[in-house]
Every structure is written in structure tokens, then in C-alpha cells.
């Protein structure tokens, strides 16, 4: 099924609502952003120290129609020029996902457009297409609030998870450590900034770094950090917060970089993509860039720009083109799958 057969241009409307961003985009040819509207809810969730699902769903209901109208207007596209509607169906918060799904299905049905289901995590990987085309075989390091995974890809749309976290994702660890430090949600960016001002003086554990697998674990690091801070408080000792941040981040980065480099060497890949919210971390970007340059000289390292690391609909549109090319379409019974994997 060629959804662009009678169209002058290859255009997809994409919708993302898996967590706390309502986003709608218009994408051309899978690698060109005509619009990418993002309505963030961060200020609403800050006072709770994390995302509240019911609050997130309510905001999606309020924002989704306006985002769709704005995306089409900014792209200067009429509905009859579109070839299909791509939408995130998981993983994510079930209520939040359902808002985007309902909007996508309604829009697609009303305008006679095919519905393209997209896995949120594949979207993060395909954000790299806005930087450069993919070269296979390739490796993707997915680092976000809920996921830390190494994904091997032989071709477009083929995903083999070769390593994943056994407990907390690194993004979760950042948020929990941020709360202990008294930082506001989300705290990843602030911890990164503090880390650049401090030094690794506390030498936290590097869990599973030398084990013969590509899995991760950040629960022990989180516990070591919390215990150090609480024990110091009980003894009325003062710790240096910048050094705490630097020590925590050094542990996370050492493990991520070590395992990623080893995985790329073992699987002999042509390209490495880092994606997800934590891919915006400057310390991680710097260290992984240096490691690739020195240890993977023939591997192309690609990281999406900062604005495309977080949740956005442009990445869903990019992945939607691949799903459509492979003939992966959904009917009106498409439902949210909050715990789906790649």
C-alpha cells in the first residue's frame, strides 16, 4: 500500500502524547520537519516532584486540538495533502496515550487517512534521521526517564535489544538523586550543570561495568548516593553538592560509555545513535563523543539536537514513514499499550 500514490508530496501528520508533552508535527519524506508543536506540562508537574498521570491526561485533552491546528498552519499544509497519520501507541502512561490515539483515530477516520502505529522508543531512535541518514548495521543507546537500552539494528524497523536496565533507568536515577539534592523536577539538566562545576570525590560504584553482558543497573548507585547523604546529615557533616553531582554523573557515564563502546565493537556496527531525554546530557555527549573518536574510528556517531531528545512528534513522524513503508498500518481498534517493548 503506497499511501503517497496520489500525492504531490510525501507528508505525514504525527501525534505524540505518551507522557507530559502534547506534540503534533508535519513531516516530509521522513527527514524534514515542516512543523513540530510541543506543549510542555513541566510547570504543572514541578510541584509534585514528578509526572502525575491524571494531571498529564487532563492537559493532553486541553492541548491536543490546538496543537493539531497549529501544526498544520505552521507547515502551511492542507489536510488533503497528507498521506497518513502516525501516532504513539506505547510505551507510556495509558491515559496520556489514549488521548493522542483518540485524536489520531478521529482525524484519520474523518479524513480517510491510514493510521500508522509507532512505538515511542523507535521514535527516539529515528530522531537521528533529522541529522543524517542511518547506516546499517547500527547500534542505538536509548537513555530516557523510563528506559536504558542498547538496541542493535540490522535494517530499518529491525530492533534487537541486546542490553537493558535491570532496575532503575538512568533518567529515573537522575530524578531521584535530584530530589535528595533538593532540586526541582526535572533535575537532569541541573545535575549536569552542577557536575561540570564539581569533581568525582565520592567514587560511587560502577555497577555491572565489567560483567560479560550489556545490561545496566542504577539502583545500587542511587542507594549509595542516598545513604551517603543521609549518613552525613545524621553526623551534621556538610557535603559539596557539586562534587556529589559530579560523582553521581561520573558513575552513570562510565557505565554507559563502557558498555556502549564494547557493544559496538562486538557487533561491528557502522553507526552509533544516542537518543532519548538523557541524550541531552552534555557530560554524556562529551564523553561518548571522545570515546567513539578514540576507540571506534570508523563508526559514525549521531545524536539528535537538544530539542529533539525529549518527547516530540517529529520523531514519531520519522519512524512513521518507516512503518508505512513496511506496510504496518492499524485499524480503528488500535489501543494503547503502556508496557510494550521494541
Amino acid at each position: 500500500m503506497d499511501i503517497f500514490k496520489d500525492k504531490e508530496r510525501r507528508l505525514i501528520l504525527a501525534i505524540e502524547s505518551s507522557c507530559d508533552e502534547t506534540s503534533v508535527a508535519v513531516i516530509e519524506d521522513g527527514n524534514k520537519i515542516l512543523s513540530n508543536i510541543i506543549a510542555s506540562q513541566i510547570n504543572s508537574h514541578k510541584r509534585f516532584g514528578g509526572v502525575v498521570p491524571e494531571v498529564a491526561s487532563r492537559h493532553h485533552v486541553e492541548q491536543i486540538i490546538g496543537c493539531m491546528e497549529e501544526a498544520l498552519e505552521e507547515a502551511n499544509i492542507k489536510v488533503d495533502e497528507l498521506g497518513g497519520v502516525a501516532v504513539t501507541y506505547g510505551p507510556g502512561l495509558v491515559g496520556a496515550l489514549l488521548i493522542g490515539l483518540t485524536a489520531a483515530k478521529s482525524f484519520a477516520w474523518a479524513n480517510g487517512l491510514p493510521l500508522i502505529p509507532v512505538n515511542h522508543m523507535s521514535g527516539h531512535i529515528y530522531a537521528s534521521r533529522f541529522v543524517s541518514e542511518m547506516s546499517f548495521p547500527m547500534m542505538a543507546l536509548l537513555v530516557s526517564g523510563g528506559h536504558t537500552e542498547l538496541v542493535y539494528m540490522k535494517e530499518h524497523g529491525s530492533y534487537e535489544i541486546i542490553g537493558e536496565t535491570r532496575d532503575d533507568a538512568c533518567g529515573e536515577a537522575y530524578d531521584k538523586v535530584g530530589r535528595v539534592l533538593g532540586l526541582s523536577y526535572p533535575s537532569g539538566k541541573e545535575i549536569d550543570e552542577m557536575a561540570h562545576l564539581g569533581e568525582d570525590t565520592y567514587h560511587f560504584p560502577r555497577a555491572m561495568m565489567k560483567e560479560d553482558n550489556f545490561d545496566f543497573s542504577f539502583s545500587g548507585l542511587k542507594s549509595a548516593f542516598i545513604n551517603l547523604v543521609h549518613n552525613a546529615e545524621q553526623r551534621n557533616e556538610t557535603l559539596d553538592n557539586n562534587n556529589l553531582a559530579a560523582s553521581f554523573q561520573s558513575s552513570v557515564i562510565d557505565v554507559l560509555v563502557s558498555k556502549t563502546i564494547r557493544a559496538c565493537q562486538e557487533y561491528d556496527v557502522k553507526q552509533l545513535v544516542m537518543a532519548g531525554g538523557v541524550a541531552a546530557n552534555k557530560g554524556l555527549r562529551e564523553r561518548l563523543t571522545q570515546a567513539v573518536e578514540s576507540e571506534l574510528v570508523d563508526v559514525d556517531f549521531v545524536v539528535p539536537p537538544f530539542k529533539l531528545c525529549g518527547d516530540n512528534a517529529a520523531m514519531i513522524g520519522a519512524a512513521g514513514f518507516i512503518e508505512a513503508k513496511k506496510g504496518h498500518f492499524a485499524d480503528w481498534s488500535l489501543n494503547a499499550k503502556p508496557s510494550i517493548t521494541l
Side-chain angles (χ1 to χ4, degrees):
M1 176 182 177
D2 183 0
I3 63 175
F4 307 110
K5 185 177 180 181
D6 301 317
K7 309 290 182 182
E8 290 186 11
R9 301 165 68 185
R10 290 157 37 91
L11 301 168
I12 279 180
L13 181 79
I15 296 174
E16 155 63 26
S17 68
S18 64
C19 191
D20 60 343
E21 272 91 19
T22 311
S23 184
V24 183
V26 177
I27 304 302
E28 184 170 10
D29 295 329
N31 57 14
K32 184 179 179 181
I33 301 173
L34 302 187
S35 63
N36 189 26
I37 308 303
I38 303 172
S40 177
Q41 305 174 9
I42 285 178
N43 288 334
S44 294
H45 298 287
K46 252 181 185 176
R47 64 185 184 275
F48 303 113
V51 177
V52 179
E54 292 82 359
V55 174
S57 298
R58 194 175 303 121
H59 277 295
H60 287 308
V61 171
E62 294 169 354
Q63 299 285 351
I64 190 70
I65 299 302
C67 287
M68 293 171 74
E69 293 173 346
E70 192 174 346
L72 289 168
E73 182 179 346
E74 185 175 300
N76 195 25
I77 292 298
K78 296 177 181 176
V79 175
D80 60 9
E81 295 179 81
L82 295 170
V85 180
V87 61
T88 302
Y89 72 106
L93 302 173
V94 64
L97 289 165
L98 286 170
I99 306 304
L101 275 169
T102 302
K105 288 196 283 188
S106 300
F107 185 88
W109 179 82
N111 295 288
L113 293 168
L115 187 66
I116 308 164
V118 175
N119 184 299
H120 177 78
M121 301 315 295
S122 71
H124 275 303
I125 295 173
Y126 276 91
S128 66
R129 283 198 76 195
F130 298 117
V131 179
S132 70
E133 279 304 315
M134 292 174 155
S135 301
F136 300 99
M138 62 160 277
M139 189 72 66
L141 171 64
L142 283 173
V143 277
S144 69
H147 296 264
T148 304
E149 297 170 345
L150 280 167
V151 183
Y152 176 65
M153 297 177 64
K154 293 180 180 178
E155 60 181 5
H156 280 300
S158 168
Y159 311 99
E160 180 187 349
I161 298 176
I162 65 165
E164 59 189 334
T165 183
R166 296 187 181 180
D167 38 60
D168 289 7
C170 62
E172 288 177 297
Y174 267 92
D175 287 336
K176 290 172 181 175
V177 161
R179 282 200 288 273
V180 175
L181 289 174
L183 307 179
S184 61
Y185 171 87
S187 54
K189 182 178 179 181
E190 195 168 353
I191 291 175
D192 186 25
E193 291 170 351
M194 292 168 64
H196 281 79
L197 301 174
E199 297 179 1
D200 181 9
T201 58
Y202 297 108
H203 308 297
F204 291 118
R206 273 67 169 161
M208 301 180 67
M209 192 163 79
K210 300 192 182 298
E211 290 190 18
D212 189 23
N213 58 51
F214 300 114
D215 287 343
F216 304 94
S217 172
F218 297 102
S219 180
L221 167 61
K222 175 198 68 180
S223 297
F225 184 98
I226 293 172
N227 289 338
L228 177 69
V229 172
H230 286 176
N231 288 339
E233 288 174 351
Q234 290 169 358
R235 293 193 296 266
N236 291 321
E237 290 180 9
T238 301
L239 301 177
D240 186 302
N241 281 356
N242 288 338
N243 287 349
L244 280 170
S247 300
F248 166 77
Q249 180 153 295
S250 291
S251 176
V252 172
I253 291 176
D254 281 353
V255 173
L256 290 175
V257 171
S258 172
K259 294 225 165 188
T260 300
I261 294 298
R262 188 157 55 83
C264 289
Q265 291 170 335
E266 186 166 318
Y267 281 80
D268 194 23
V269 298
K270 294 180 179 178
Q271 189 177 69
L272 168 63
V273 168
M274 180 169 68
V278 183
N281 184 287
K282 292 181 180 179
L284 177 57
R285 282 175 174 242
E286 292 164 3
R287 282 280 304 282
L288 194 50
T289 298
Q290 294 167 0
V292 171
E293 288 175 352
S294 63
E295 299 182 58
L296 302 173
V297 292
D298 295 322
V299 174
D300 179 31
F301 180 42
V302 181
V303 189
F306 291 112
K307 63 183 178 181
L308 295 180
C309 288
D311 295 348
N312 67 90
M315 69 184 195
I316 302 304
F321 268 83
I322 301 302
E323 297 302 320
K325 189 174 182 180
K326 287 181 168 286
H328 296 162
F329 300 99
D331 58 26
W332 310 126
S333 67
L334 178 66
N335 203 355
K337 295 186 178 180
S339 301
I340 194 171
T341 59
L342 278 170

